[in-house]
Amino acid sequence: MGPKTTKVYETLRERLAAGEYAPGDKLPSERALVEELGIGRTALRQVLARLVTEGALEVRGRSSYRVPGTVSVQRPEGLEPWRIHGERDVYDNRWVRLQLWDVEPPGVKRFEHHVVRLHRVAVTAVIDDQDRVLMMWRYRFVPQQFGWELPGGIVDQGEDPADAALRETVEETGWRPKSLEHVVSYQPMVGMVDSPHEIFVAHGAEKVGEPTDLEEAGHIEWVPLADIPGLMARGELLGSGTLVALLHILAARRTQGLTTAQ
């Protein structure tokens, strides 16, 4: 994006961050934004598409942009949570903790349930101006296979997840993201494993050196986003964080493409 387009992007990001538009609010029309911000319609759509990709906006209908946050489905009422009577460690070290929890589901006799606690993880999808994503080809000994992964790793105690995402990207690839946006927090195995994942999307990066984490780095490459569905079909995308981040990007772009075509 050029200087003018970048300025408009930053202006809209600041408005969204400041809460000028509440969750579910519809943005002013493209015509109104063009007149207010002094930008061409094509450049404005480029800005809006980027905000959609980052999860800051969503598309509803034809060229109608809204702040995410509202949904049509209602939360069911009257359901009770499980009661947790206690927990005890079975095994604990710096990487993993195995526990037994004394739990009681509603209407069911209480019992002990295994719980695995892992560290919080931050994963980053870095996209360049050629629609390529920064990835690593690595060998994972647990599934005993090679595959593509996004940079990411453990969030240190007291560390902000965004700082961890930036640090891990630099350590594993030698590229420093120019921007960083949080898109989702999730748990990959909610039935037994506590492993919080924080997913970020970055646009643009600069080469700052060679990877310093040689164990993690593997082969580094900018992979075209157009290749992602094929790599997924071949089973070459490893890890839920990689899949969630890339599916988020593809879904956002597909939504934007359908809207533009209308």
Side-chain angles (χ1 to χ4, degrees):
M1 294 190 296
K4 177 62 177 180
T5 307
T6 300
K7 184 177 180 180
V8 170
Y9 163 78
E10 292 174 348
T11 297
L12 291 178
R13 282 294 318 182
E14 290 173 0
R15 291 181 181 181
L16 291 166
E20 291 189 25
Y21 306 111
D25 278 358
K26 181 179 178 181
L27 255 64
S29 67
E30 289 186 356
R31 177 180 297 179
L33 290 173
V34 164
E35 294 177 354
E36 177 192 359
L37 301 173
I39 189 175
R41 188 178 293 266
T42 299
L44 175 64
R45 286 179 174 174
Q46 182 182 2
V47 170
L48 295 174
R50 177 171 175 178
L51 291 171
V52 169
T53 299
E54 295 172 351
L57 292 177
E58 59 185 18
V59 182
R60 297 284 184 89
R62 184 175 181 178
S63 300
S64 176
Y65 297 88
R66 296 179 184 270
V67 180
T70 58
V71 294
S72 59
V73 65
Q74 300 296 317
R75 292 182 177 180
E77 297 181 356
L79 299 178
E80 298 180 11
W82 289 23
R83 296 183 62 187
I84 301 173
H85 296 283
E87 60 185 58
R88 60 187 175 90
D89 290 348
V90 176
Y91 174 80
D92 185 17
N93 72 6
R94 60 176 296 195
W95 300 110
V96 60
R97 175 184 296 178
L98 174 62
Q99 298 180 313
L100 277 173
W101 286 25
D102 181 1
V103 298
E104 183 181 359
V108 178
K109 185 178 179 181
R110 60 194 285 185
F111 61 93
E112 285 195 318
H113 195 295
H114 283 89
V115 174
V116 179
R117 287 187 179 275
L118 303 176
H119 294 284
R120 185 176 299 274
V121 171
V123 178
T124 306
V126 184
I127 309 298
D128 69 3
D129 58 5
Q130 299 179 53
D131 274 351
R132 302 179 302 177
V133 59
L134 183 62
M135 303 196 75
M136 303 174 297
W137 176 258
R138 299 187 54 194
Y139 182 75
R140 287 295 190 179
F141 72 89
V142 175
Q144 300 182 41
Q145 72 176 93
F146 282 96
W148 294 102
E149 290 185 30
L150 297 174
I154 292 174
V155 179
D156 292 336
Q157 186 174 3
E159 185 179 27
D160 185 275
D163 293 336
L166 180 64
R167 173 180 55 76
E168 290 285 345
T169 301
V170 174
E171 290 177 357
E172 295 184 353
T173 69
W175 289 84
R176 180 183 297 276
K178 294 182 178 179
S179 66
L180 205 62
E181 299 293 335
H182 183 265
V183 296
V184 68
S185 301
Y186 77 100
Q187 292 268 10
M189 296 180 63
V190 294
M192 186 177 291
V193 180
D194 176 27
S195 176
H197 279 51
E198 309 290 349
I199 305 301
F200 295 84
V201 173
H203 290 269
E206 63 173 323
K207 183 73 171 178
V208 295
E210 297 301 319
T212 57
D213 192 340
L214 299 181
E215 178 185 345
E216 299 284 347
H219 170 78
I220 301 163
E221 187 166 330
W222 289 93
V223 177
L225 282 173
D227 287 354
I228 297 304
L231 294 176
M232 188 183 305
R234 282 162 39 175
E236 293 185 0
L237 298 180
L238 300 182
S240 64
T242 292
L243 286 166
V244 168
L246 294 176
L247 287 172
H248 167 82
I249 293 170
L250 294 179
R253 295 197 171 204
R254 181 177 185 274
T255 301
Q256 175 62 24
L258 290 174
T259 302
T260 303
Q262 291 177 349

